[in-house]
Amino acid sequence: MTAKSQHSWTGDPAELLRVGAGFRLADVDPDATPGYDGGRKRSERDLAEGAAELDELQERLFAESRSGATSASVLLVLQAMDSAGKGGIVRHVIGSVDPQGVALTAFKKPTPEELSHDFLWRVERRLPAPGFIGVFDRSHYEDVLIGRVRALAPADEIERRYGAINEFEKRVTDAGTRIVKVMLHISADEQKARLMERLDRPDKHWKYNPGDVDERRLWPQYMDAYQTVFERTSTEHAPWHVVPANAKWYARLAVQALLLDALEGIDPQWPAATFDVAAEKARLAAT
Amino acid sequence: MTAKSQHSWTGDPAELLRVGAGFRLADVDPDATPGYDGGRKRSERDLAEGAAELDELQERLFAESRSGATSASVLLVLQAMDSAGKGGIVRHVIGSVDPQGVALTAFKKPTPEELSHDFLWRVERRLPAPGFIGVFDRSHYEDVLIGRVRALAPADEIERRYGAINEFEKRVTDAGTRIVKVMLHISADEQKARLMERLDRPDKHWKYNPGDVDERRLWPQYMDAYQTVFERTSTEHAPWHVVPANAKWYARLAVQALLLDALEGIDPQWPAATFDVAAEKARLAAT
């Protein structure tokens, strides 16, 4: 289903970008804009129209959840190499939703307390409540990405985690959360240009970390780790979507479309009044 | 100091709206628009320009805090009678800031766990980290507002809390947080009209609670409780501001101006690089 308000799609991004059987990350062109031929300028109008729709759908979902009529929520899981645009997605796509309906978590290097628990412990605690759009900026997938590339855990523990993630996500979706898993895919050359820009601009220095270059040197190993993640954890209940992200405008529009698709799938409705409207009007009028 | 980007102010809202010696809530006209003669239409342009400035100042603050050069943050405390527009402030003023820099807490009726602690316990846990704009939708002031009107605690305990709040807020401001305390002030008639609208519109029913009318009947008692709050807790380090809020556009513009004033007072700067920029460029170029 393509979002009503994003008019220039020629195909359904939820289908076109989904990781299915036989998927190979190496075959994805980070410059591509699958299913959208509106171009950058048109995308801005579509993004603005989609923003209004996303905001209203989330408010409906929030309203319905307050009535107890639904336990549904949406969880956006964002993974990517450095500088691929996670922050831009949060600012420009999530930023259009009422802050009262968003629960954002940026997962950092685990603290000693977090490390003393199973890797899913800190994730479970940050799942969105009914009615909310939860956003994970990085996630439990770090534990099988940098966890694998940097050998932060034994191989058999990494292996165990794929299955644990699938069971976890099945339980979460069964409880009413639609999980939208997105990898923003940029090319190594694009990353180089973006990191160089951060070094060129004093107002961007704070976003640069020398460790970014160390991670960058492991690019092929990360791509391998992502490929394995997709093969092991793109499930029926929580599929992955790989979003070409060299064009920032496309990535934003596509992630918004995936969120709209999830919310339209829930199809939230304004809840019926849980009180006698006429009686309340009379009580209020008497004050 | 008036925000640079909000051009139509004829006075400084941080001064005009501040609760000082001799303040009487009963003397405030909820229809007034102190210090602003731009009108509603002009206010929309000023709000949009202020939004861009607020977003940039917050990003600078966030950046500077990441470098460790500042521990500053801002905390907006929002209090009001039902339907006065707290939600609109969050959506239209806070919503213009990058979600990655906002920490919003909506305080509800305390849970049994929260009640087992001192009333400031749950508040302390939600203070903004350095670099963030924290927002309290309701706050520890509920414990001396509904707490007093509904006699939820003994009179001597309510009395104790004013001093405890002042000491708490002094410690918080000393640690680097600018506290912006705002009461949105509507008239009883305006509330009646807004509650009636919620009853008239099925898409607003979820925002209505029959308890709202019960609280409304205690309007004079609440105004008395607010007056006492202002007298006891409008301090040098954390003054109250009473914002006339019958005109929603004015309230939004005024709260934005107060936040801009707080951030301009911090005057955050892009931090200097903590690495050798030339050396990093060379390292990156070699990849």
Side-chain angles (χ1 to χ4, degrees):
Chain A
M1 179 166 52
T2 305
K4 298 190 283 288
S5 55
Q6 296 189 338
H7 299 295
S8 305
W9 289 97
T10 56
D12 184 347
E15 291 302 323
L16 290 169
L17 304 176
R18 181 194 302 246
V19 171
F23 173 88
R24 284 176 44 82
L25 180 58
D27 294 340
V28 177
D29 176 5
D31 280 314
T33 61
Y36 191 83
D37 62 2
R40 179 184 188 143
K41 197 174 164 74
R42 175 62 187 261
S43 81
E44 290 171 8
R45 195 169 67 193
D46 279 342
L47 192 72
E49 291 180 4
E53 190 182 352
L54 188 62
D55 189 36
E56 182 182 330
L57 282 167
Q58 189 281 321
E59 188 179 357
R60 275 182 194 249
L61 180 63
F62 192 84
E64 193 176 7
S65 75
R66 286 309 89 120
S67 77
T70 181
S71 63
S73 62
V74 172
L75 174 61
L76 174 65
V77 174
L78 287 173
Q79 286 290 156
M81 298 296 284
D82 284 325
S83 82
K86 288 188 284 86
I89 296 290
V90 173
R91 179 186 281 264
H92 297 283
V93 179
I94 300 302
S96 70
V97 179
D98 189 337
Q100 296 166 96
V102 171
L104 169 68
T105 304
F107 288 100
K108 309 291 186 190
K109 186 178 164 184
T111 64
E113 184 190 19
E114 289 169 347
L115 284 173
S116 73
H117 294 273
D118 179 65
F119 77 108
L120 291 170
W121 178 78
R122 66 175 185 163
V123 177
E124 179 99 39
R125 292 156 57 96
R126 306 299 296 184
L127 290 171
F132 279 78
I133 297 178
V135 181
F136 286 177
D137 176 353
R138 304 187 188 276
S139 68
H140 43 300
Y141 285 99
E142 291 295 319
D143 297 285
V144 287
L145 289 165
I146 191 171
R148 175 174 149 159
V149 171
R150 291 289 190 179
L152 301 179
D156 61 342
E157 165 63 10
I158 301 287
E159 193 59 29
R160 179 190 75 82
R161 289 176 181 170
Y162 301 111
I165 287 172
N166 289 339
E167 287 170 19
F168 169 73
E169 292 181 352
K170 180 70 165 63
R171 172 165 60 80
V172 170
T173 53
D174 284 350
T177 301
R178 296 223 172 195
I179 304 179
V180 179
K181 300 192 295 199
V182 168
M183 185 242 189
L184 300 175
H185 187 41
I186 56 171
S187 62
D189 283 351
E190 179 69 17
Q191 189 196 49
K192 190 172 189 170
R194 292 185 186 183
L195 291 177
M196 200 58 87
E197 191 196 1
R198 290 182 180 178
L199 287 168
D200 279 335
R201 290 178 51 178
D203 65 332
K204 298 283 189 190
H205 283 167
W206 70 279
K207 292 190 173 184
Y208 181 88
N209 184 319
D212 296 346
V213 171
D214 302 325
E215 293 304 296
R216 176 175 163 74
R217 288 187 176 128
L218 299 168
W219 190 278
Q221 290 92 320
Y222 274 105
M223 294 304 109
D224 282 350
Y226 271 108
Q227 177 67 33
T228 303
V229 160
F230 297 143
E231 290 170 6
R232 301 293 296 275
T233 68
S234 195
T235 56
E236 189 69 31
H237 55 276
W240 273 99
H241 295 86
V242 172
V243 175
N246 276 6
K248 290 179 184 175
W249 62 263
Y250 175 80
R252 291 169 190 171
L253 197 70
V255 173
Q256 185 188 71
L258 295 174
L259 289 172
L260 286 169
D261 182 70
L263 280 157
E264 289 168 354
I266 296 171
D267 193 22
Q269 302 297 321
W270 296 116
T274 53
F275 46 83
D276 180 331
V277 175
E280 289 301 318
K281 282 187 183 180
R283 285 180 73 222
L284 177 59
T287 59
Chain B
M1 178 166 54
T2 305
K4 297 190 284 288
S5 55
Q6 296 188 339
H7 299 295
S8 306
W9 289 97
T10 55
D12 184 348
E15 291 302 322
L16 290 169
L17 304 175
R18 182 194 302 246
V19 171
F23 173 88
R24 283 178 44 82
L25 179 58
D27 294 339
V28 176
D29 176 4
D31 280 314
T33 60
Y36 192 82
D37 62 3
R40 178 184 188 144
K41 197 173 163 74
R42 175 63 187 259
S43 80
E44 290 171 8
R45 196 168 67 193
D46 279 343
L47 193 71
E49 290 178 6
E53 190 181 353
L54 188 62
D55 188 37
E56 183 181 329
L57 282 166
Q58 190 280 322
E59 187 180 357
R60 275 181 195 250
L61 181 62
F62 192 84
E64 192 175 8
S65 75
R66 286 309 88 120
S67 77
T70 181
S71 63
S73 62
V74 172
L75 174 61
L76 174 65
V77 175
L78 286 173
Q79 286 290 156
M81 298 297 283
D82 284 324
S83 81
K86 289 189 284 83
I89 296 289
V90 172
R91 180 186 280 264
H92 297 283
V93 179
I94 300 302
S96 71
V97 179
D98 189 336
Q100 297 166 93
V102 172
L104 169 68
T105 303
F107 287 100
K108 308 292 185 189
K109 186 178 165 186
T111 65
E113 184 190 17
E114 288 169 349
L115 284 173
S116 74
H117 294 272
D118 180 65
F119 77 109
L120 291 170
W121 178 77
R122 66 175 186 163
V123 177
E124 178 99 41
R125 292 155 56 96
R126 306 299 297 184
L127 290 170
F132 279 77
I133 297 178
V135 181
F136 286 176
D137 176 354
R138 306 187 186 275
S139 68
H140 43 300
Y141 286 99
E142 291 296 319
D143 297 285
V144 287
L145 289 165
I146 191 171
R148 175 174 149 160
V149 171
R150 292 287 188 179
L152 301 179
D156 60 343
E157 165 62 11
I158 299 287
E159 194 58 31
R160 180 191 73 83
R161 288 178 182 171
Y162 301 112
I165 287 172
N166 289 338
E167 287 171 20
F168 168 72
E169 293 181 352
K170 180 70 164 65
R171 173 165 58 80
V172 169
T173 52
D174 284 349
T177 301
R178 296 223 171 195
I179 304 179
V180 179
K181 300 193 293 199
V182 169
M183 185 242 190
L184 300 175
H185 187 41
I186 56 172
S187 63
D189 284 350
E190 177 70 17
Q191 189 197 48
K192 190 172 190 170
R194 293 184 186 184
L195 291 177
M196 200 58 88
E197 191 196 2
R198 290 182 180 178
L199 287 168
D200 279 334
R201 289 177 50 177
D203 64 333
K204 299 282 188 190
H205 283 166
W206 70 278
K207 292 190 173 185
Y208 182 87
N209 185 319
D212 295 347
V213 171
D214 302 324
E215 294 304 296
R216 175 175 165 74
R217 289 188 176 128
L218 298 167
W219 190 279
Q221 290 90 322
Y222 273 105
M223 294 305 108
D224 282 351
Y226 271 107
Q227 177 67 36
T228 303
V229 159
F230 297 143
E231 289 170 7
R232 302 292 295 275
T233 67
S234 195
T235 56
E236 189 70 32
H237 54 275
W240 273 100
H241 295 85
V242 172
V243 175
N246 277 6
K248 289 179 183 175
W249 63 262
Y250 175 79
R252 291 169 190 173
L253 198 70
V255 174
Q256 185 188 72
L258 295 174
L259 288 172
L260 286 168
D261 182 69
L263 279 157
E264 288 169 354
I266 294 171
D267 193 22
Q269 302 297 321
W270 297 117
T274 54
F275 46 83
D276 181 332
V277 175
E280 289 301 318
K281 284 187 183 179
R283 283 181 74 223
L284 177 60
T287 60

